[in-house]
Amino acid sequence: MSASELQKAMTSLIAVFYKYSGKEGDKTTLSKGELKELLTAEMADIFGKSTDQTALDKIFKDLDANRDGTVDFQEYVTLVACITMLCNDFFSQKK
C-alpha cells in the first residue's frame, strides 16, 4: 500500500525542516539564519529573495512562541499552517 497524498505532504514537511535545522547548532531547531535560508529557498514565490532583516526579525520573533531564540518543529508547523490558510483564502476568493 502506497502512502496517501497527506502522508507524503507530512513526510515532506518533516524532511524540509531537518534539511535546514542543525546547520548552526541544535538539530531539532532552526536558528534565525536557518529559517531565512529555508524561507528563501523553499518559499521563494511567497517570500522572494527578501533581504529585509526587519521583516525576518518580525517573522522570527512571532514564530518563537516560547522565546528561546530558536524555532522548533511545532513553531515551524504553525508557520506552514498559517501560510497554507492564507493561500487557501487567496485562492477561495478567486472563484
Side-chain angles (χ1 to χ4, degrees), residues 62-82:
D62 291 346
L63 282 179
D64 185 14
N66 64 3
R67 303 289 181 245
D68 68 352
T70 61
V71 172
D72 64 23
F73 187 77
Q74 182 174 343
E75 293 162 337
Y76 157 77
V77 169
T78 300
L79 169 69
V80 174
C82 290

